[in-house]
Amino acid sequence: MVPQIAPTFLDNCLTRNEWICGRYYSTRSEELRAAVIQHLGIVLASVALGLLVAVPLALLARRYRRLEGIIVGTTTAIYTIPSLALFSLLVPFTGLGPRTVLIGLGLYSLTILVRAILDGLASVPADVRESALGVGYGARTLLWRVEIPLALPAFMSGLRVATVSAVALTTVGSILDYGGLGDLILEDATFKAQVLAGSVLCVALAVTLDVVLVLVQRLLTPWARSAAPRRKAVAA
Amino acid sequence: MNGVLDWFRDSEHWHGDYGVPVLLGQHFLLTVTAVLIASAVGFPVALWLGHRHRGGLLAINLTNIGRAVPIVAMLSLFSLSVFGSGYLGPYGRSGLATLVTLALFALPPIVTSTYTALVEVDADVVEAARGMGMSEVAVLRRVELPLAAPLIVSGLRLAVVQVWATATIAALVAGPGLGNIITRGYANNQTAEVVAGSLIVALVALLMEIGFVGLQRIVDPRPVTSH
């Protein structure tokens, strides 16, 4: 009779394909860390890229009302293109590589950010603007000292949406082998421990970035904290 | 670009299990079923919340939460666990998992826009209707719903287009639909095929948008303003 030694040797949570597997985390920690770093890099770079284009576009749209419809309309149209299709339509121009993922995700951020900047600037009360002009503010000081601070809350909420959705959309980048945690999830769709780890880390990354942005917003708008209770007291 | 035209001309791409008609049918069926499921769940909840002006925080934040969920992860988890990756009749491989994921994705736009639509109905009009002795059901059915209809339809449009677009991702997880053309193109390094698949998806999405804009005009109870 053949002695049964094989099971004790090969039997672990990886070979049993279990959802939660300590061995997976201990043997693949390097891979996981690399995926998280790549994911974070893609998100930050694409949102920064979106922001870089969104600011001048939004200011242009505000300056020239006729352009506003075109800019908002075009960016909204881009947003309705599905991520997989957007990447695909970019491929002929940007190639089968990281560039396509970054530009594609940047375009999505752009849409949200242009809207957020315009909404933010529109939310500045006209009488505040008027009184600033009345006390002698020029166009530039008005923008920096009055309009931008007051537009911050709406802008920051847009930035949060853009960042969080970039985290989710980055996974689709794995079609171009550049999807951060998405690469882990799609590498082997039957590998339970890895699919779960990739998914959980992806959500955790989104939540972390969102919390960081909320904290940044609080630091940038200290008056909002003290103003909120006062407003409530008036209402009561 | 010539490659794309050649792809459309090749009759091989129009026949068989992975031909355009079959995949288009799967894609369409998936979208419609997912939106119907989401509507069946989302509308009653949103109508009730909106009518009572309650739960606004949840109704509005649902959309943001929806954006944060990576669909690739959700679909993988679903097809690996509860719903499996088996064939589901006309819905194809991983049909059930895809259907559930898409329905969940259609939920936020439906709930958020329906809720917003009802809350934004002029409070004076609702008050007047109550003052005339209308029951709550009548207020909802004869006053709030007609006035909210255009916004509700726009939410439905968002849901349909979003689900239609998102359904392409199913193919990444070995699911059904038009995404298969795109993933096949990537797998074989055929840029033309990738672009052709995307064009089909985008073109139908555009047609859907146009159809819904028409529907939105039809349901608008306010008279067309003439200048």
Side-chain angles (χ1 to χ4, degrees), chain B residues 81-107:
Chain B
S81 59
V82 266
F83 302 115
S85 56
Y87 272 83
L88 183 74
Y91 299 104
R93 278 175 307 168
S94 303
L96 192 57
T98 310
L99 210 51
V100 174
T101 311
L102 291 179
L104 284 173
F105 264 72
L107 209 50

Side-chain angles (χ1 to χ4, degrees), chain A residues 155-181:
Chain A
F155 166 71
M156 285 303 287
S157 69
L159 189 63
R160 283 171 60 196
V161 174
T163 309
V164 165
S165 44
V167 173
L169 284 171
T170 296
T171 53
V172 180
S174 81
I175 189 86
L176 291 151
D177 293 321
Y178 196 66
L181 292 159

Side-chain angles (χ1 to χ4, degrees), chain A residues 44-125:
Chain A
L44 295 182
S46 63
V47 173
L49 192 68
L51 197 58
L52 218 61
V53 184
V55 171
L57 272 185
L59 291 178
L60 221 78
R62 199 175 71 116
R63 186 88 178 257
Y64 306 99
R65 289 284 150 187
R66 293 182 72 184
L67 280 179
E68 184 176 353
I70 300 170
I71 290 174
V72 171
T74 314
T75 50
T76 309
I78 292 172
Y79 201 69
T80 59
I81 305 175
S83 46
L84 194 57
L86 180 63
F87 290 159
S88 316
L89 293 172
L90 284 173
V91 162
F93 310 101
T94 52
L96 286 162
R99 223 179 340 160
T100 304
V101 178
L102 288 179
I103 292 178
L105 292 175
L107 282 172
Y108 284 125
S109 312
L110 175 72
T111 308
I112 303 172
L113 292 171
V114 167
R115 272 272 170 91
I117 296 170
L118 287 175
D119 284 350
L121 290 175
S123 73
V124 178

Side-chain angles (χ1 to χ4, degrees), chain A residues 131-157:
Chain A
S131 27
L133 288 173
V135 296
Y137 276 53
R140 181 167 295 185
T141 24
L142 176 71
L143 181 69
W144 282 100
R145 304 276 298 273
V146 178
E147 291 182 310
I148 287 180
L150 286 177
L152 263 179
F155 166 71
M156 285 303 287
S157 69

Side-chain angles (χ1 to χ4, degrees), chain B residues 152-166:
Chain B
I152 293 177
V153 171
S154 109
L156 200 62
R157 179 188 77 183
L158 208 63
V160 168
V161 174
Q162 210 163 298
V163 166
W164 174 265
T166 311

Side-chain angles (χ1 to χ4, degrees), chain B residues 25-35 91 95 98-99 102 163 167 170 176-177:
Chain B
Q26 280 177 355
H27 210 97
F28 195 74
L29 209 59
L30 272 171
T31 306
V32 171
T33 315
V35 172
Y91 299 104
T98 310
L99 210 51
L102 291 179
V163 166

